């Protein structure tokens, strides 16, 4: 039986179960960016696919809200560009950094190749709702909400499906599947159940996540503020700044004990023009701690099981690229696996290995860059709990001075973040014509 989910973020209160002997061809665990893209693409290949998401909706306290240029191109290919453009959004077309030596532009998206010269900032639930609505048009797609996957089914060592709890009723269920794809994020329950342990790379920071009012005459786009021992990133959300302030890993409790005034003081010192509104942070309840991890599995598959996105490689927030990589993993996996799944209703271990071979190096490359940033910049600076410098004058670092002199070079960081290494294009069978007036073009 196929259940078509309600697509609004507040809906989906009940699970429509698939019958007594629940069975699907592909069980996708987790309805984040990786899981929803995987579900949509496989459904468009005509493969029977069930996405299990433990929450009743896509609303979360924190989900990165970036939709990168390469993902915008993917949406065009899927015939969804126009529907996406109709979602209220902000556009990030340049990234600036406030250094002690002055305000400098470090990435210029107008220099990007292709149809999109920006990163879209959209609440992630709107993005996921769009994917869920498009997938619901496919007869072989099922989304089970409030389905918390708790374990794996196995036969002679092969993974043959999942065990899950309906969070609405507390009932336990089993869903048999020819292939299980874990897209359940960096605390992946499937990974644990499979006995797979990622290699952790160590991370020097956690993040405080909070909002401050934004005025119409503030700088537009994104802004990073860096000075000895203190880092924050401001993301333009129209009438608000979404702020990410980095703290030394494990120092949350110690810093909170100093009172909320400490964060207000730090923010006002770091970004003086925010000083007149830091009082809107009333208590620590306004500040969420985000635990940062960076890790990667050696092997992203087992017999009957594939892991992609953060479940295979948790990404640091450095560069804001994890969503893009998760989406690219899903596109590559669907493209490689769909032919076998359509033909024989199963995916060979050789095909699962090909997915890892394709996606391993762009992942390792990006994580290598993040590790370098952790070691060379963030780790050193955050390890000493330094007070804010009294003045904000100084010389700009040489690479920054070069990019100011030759603005063409600002296209390089823009490309690394907005497109990334090895962007994946939608396979021909997943493409749909763009509605009249849309932006998609065939670029094969
Ligand atoms: C502080 C911080 C800031 C970040 N900022 C950005 C940013 O700005 N831009 C960016 O691109 N990346 C950012 N990232 C990285 C990004 O959030 C991840 O890389 C990305 O979300 C991975 O997508 P995913 O689909 O693999 O997993 P997730 O987005 O984690 O989705 C996993 C899904 O699985 C569901 N799930 C989990 N367990 C189960 C279960 N047992 N059963 C059923 N469902 C389950 C979850 O509810 C969730 O919906 C940031 C990361 C951190 C830590």
């Amino acid at each position: 039986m196929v259940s078509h989910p309600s697509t609004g973020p507040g809906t989906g209160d009940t699970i429509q179960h698939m019958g007594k002997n629940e069975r699907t061809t592909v069980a996708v665990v987790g309805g984040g960016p990786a899981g929803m893209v995987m579900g949509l693409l496989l459904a468009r290949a005509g493969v029977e696919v069930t996405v299990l998401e433990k929450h009743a909706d896509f609303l979360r306290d924190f989900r990165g809200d970036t939709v990168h240029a390469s993902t915008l191109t993917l949406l065009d290919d899927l015939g969804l560009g126009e529907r996406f453009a109709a979602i209220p959004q902000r556009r990030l077309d340049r990234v600036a950094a406030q250094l002690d030596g002055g305000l400098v532009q470090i990435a210029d998206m107008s220099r990007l190749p292709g149809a999109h010269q920006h990163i879209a900032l959209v609440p992630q639930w709107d993005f996921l709702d769009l994917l869920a609505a498009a997938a619901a048009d496919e007869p072989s797609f099922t989304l089970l909400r409030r389905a918390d996957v708790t374990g794996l089914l196995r036969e002679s060592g092969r993974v043959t499906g999942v065990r899950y709890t309906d969070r609405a009723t507390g009932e336990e269920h089993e869903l048999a599947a020819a292939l299980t794809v874990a897209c359940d994020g960096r605390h992946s329950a499937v990974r644990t159940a499979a006995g797979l342990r990622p290699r952790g790379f160590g991370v020097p920071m956690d993040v405080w996540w909070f909002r401050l009012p934004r005025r119409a005459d503030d700088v537009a786009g994104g802004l990073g503020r860096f000075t000895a021992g203190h880092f924050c990133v401001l993301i333009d959300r129209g009438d608000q700044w979404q702020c990410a302030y980095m703290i030394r890993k494990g120092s949350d409790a110690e810093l909170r004990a100093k009172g909320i005034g400490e964060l207000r003081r730090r923010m006002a010192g770091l970004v003086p023009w925010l000083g007149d509104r830091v009082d809107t942070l009333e208590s620590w309840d306004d500040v969420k701690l985000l635990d940062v991890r960076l890790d990667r599995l050696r092997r992203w598959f087992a017999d009957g099981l594939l892991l992609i996105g953060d479940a295979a490689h948790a990404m640091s927030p450095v560069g804001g690229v994890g969503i893009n990589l998760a989406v690219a993993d899903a596109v590559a996996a669907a493209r490689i696996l769909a032919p076998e799944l359509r033909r024989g209703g199963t995916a060979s271990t050789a095909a699962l290995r090909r997915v890892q071979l394709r996606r391993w190096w762009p992942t390792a490359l990006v994580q290598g860059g993040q590790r370098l940033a952790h070691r060379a910049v963030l780790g050193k600076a955050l390890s000493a709990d330094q007070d804010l410098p009294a003045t904000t004058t100084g010389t700009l670092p040489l690479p920054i001075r070069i990019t100011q002199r030759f603005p063409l070079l600002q296209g390089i960081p823009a490309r690394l973040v907005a497109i990334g290494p090895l962007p994946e294009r939608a396979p021909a069978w997943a493409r749909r014509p763009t509605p009249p007036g849309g932006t998609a073009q065939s670029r094969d």
Side-chain angles (χ1 to χ4, degrees):
M1 172 186 145
V2 175
S3 70
H4 289 262
S6 316
T7 55
T11 55
D13 280 351
T14 55
I15 289 182
Q16 294 179 330
H17 289 292
M18 307 177 71
K20 200 164 168 36
N21 300 312
E22 297 178 34
R23 176 167 291 281
T24 187
T25 302
V26 180
V28 174
V29 183
M36 291 312 300
V37 170
M38 186 76 187
L40 169 61
L41 264 60
L42 287 181
R44 285 197 174 178
V47 174
E48 198 189 350
V49 55
T50 302
V51 177
L52 302 101
E53 166 55 51
K54 70 177 175 185
H55 292 100
D57 53 44
F58 294 129
L59 292 171
R60 299 291 177 280
D61 280 346
F62 167 73
R63 297 243 200 202
D65 287 352
T66 46
V67 179
H68 301 246
S70 45
T71 302
L72 294 172
T73 302
L74 175 74
L75 291 171
D76 288 346
D77 290 345
L78 298 175
L80 300 173
E82 183 133 301
R83 278 155 78 179
F84 180 82
I87 299 173
Q89 56 192 271
R90 301 285 294 170
R91 286 178 167 219
L92 191 64
D93 43 32
R94 55 183 180 271
V95 178
Q98 175 84 54
L99 306 176
D100 290 345
L103 181 69
V104 289
Q105 183 169 300
I106 50 176
D108 179 2
M109 313 287 174
S110 71
R111 298 177 188 281
L112 291 176
H116 298 282
Q117 280 75 39
H118 67 280
I119 291 175
L121 296 173
V122 172
Q124 199 180 97
W125 51 86
D126 286 339
F127 173 56
L128 296 175
D129 274 337
L130 171 71
L131 297 173
D137 289 340
E138 307 300 324
S140 61
F141 179 81
T142 303
L143 172 61
L144 297 181
R145 300 181 193 259
R146 290 192 172 178
D148 187 359
V149 171
T150 53
L152 292 171
L153 309 177
R154 289 176 191 274
E155 266 174 45
S156 317
R158 180 180 171 86
V159 174
T160 55
V162 297
R163 194 168 286 118
Y164 69 93
T165 306
D166 175 344
R167 288 175 123 188
T169 63
E171 277 171 31
E172 303 287 327
H173 293 261
E174 290 186 353
L175 173 64
L179 174 68
T180 298
V181 183
C183 303
D184 51 345
R186 58 213 173 107
H187 301 291
S188 172
V190 172
R191 189 177 63 200
T192 306
L196 298 170
R197 288 247 312 265
R199 174 180 171 213
F201 295 115
V203 170
M205 82 280 195
D206 286 324
V207 170
W208 278 340
W209 190 250
F210 52 92
R211 293 173 184 206
L212 289 173
R214 181 177 174 278
R215 309 241 160 95
D217 56 350
D218 287 351
V219 198
L223 178 76
R225 175 71 179 106
F226 308 94
T227 189
H230 299 270
F231 301 88
C232 77
V233 175
L234 307 179
I235 301 165
D236 176 353
R237 285 195 168 153
D239 58 357
Q240 291 185 317
W241 284 111
Q242 179 64 62
C243 309
Y245 179 90
M246 269 144 247
I247 59 170
R248 188 162 38 84
K249 188 136 201 86
S251 65
D252 175 63
E254 172 201 326
L255 292 172
R256 278 182 194 246
K258 296 184 181 178
I260 189 71
E262 175 67 10
L263 176 58
R264 289 191 201 132
R265 189 184 69 80
R266 287 179 179 217
M267 285 306 292
L270 262 179
V271 191
W273 49 267
L274 284 178
D276 59 358
R277 47 202 116 146
V278 290
D279 283 351
T280 55
L281 291 171
E282 287 179 5
S283 74
W284 285 113
D285 294 342
D286 297 330
V287 181
K288 190 168 164 47
L289 173 70
L290 301 177
D291 165 38
V292 177
R293 289 184 179 209
L294 184 70
D295 61 33
R296 191 169 66 240
L297 282 175
R298 284 189 177 81
R299 207 164 180 259
W300 299 12
F301 60 91
D303 211 8
L305 173 68
L306 174 70
L307 301 97
I308 58 171
D310 270 21
H313 48 77
M315 305 303 294
S316 152
V318 169
V321 290
I323 296 169
N324 212 23
L325 270 185
V327 166
D329 281 3
V331 176
R335 191 181 57 238
I336 292 169
L337 301 177
E340 281 193 10
L341 288 163
R342 263 195 304 222
R343 238 184 353 258
T346 188
S348 65
T349 304
L352 301 180
R353 181 178 290 113
R354 281 207 303 281
V355 176
Q356 174 171 356
L357 281 177
R358 169 115 189 141
R359 295 304 310 163
W360 185 90
W361 77 259
T363 304
L365 194 69
V366 174
Q367 288 189 322
Q370 293 187 326
R371 290 166 68 191
L372 192 67
H374 289 169
R375 246 197 330 266
V377 187
L378 293 163
K380 271 195 202 141
L382 292 173
S383 61
D385 199 7
Q386 306 182 44
D387 218 340
L388 284 163
T391 61
T392 53
T393 54
T395 319
L396 293 172
L398 181 64
I400 301 285
R401 273 184 280 148
I402 294 174
T403 59
Q404 302 311 291
R405 179 113 192 244
F406 304 103
L408 199 68
L409 296 175
Q410 293 172 17
I412 299 172
R415 192 180 176 126
L416 288 175
V417 172
I419 296 179
L422 201 61
E424 302 283 356
R425 298 298 298 268
W429 44 258
R431 296 185 181 209
R432 293 290 181 273
T434 307
T439 52
Q441 304 148 23
S442 179
R443 300 179 192 86
D444 269 347

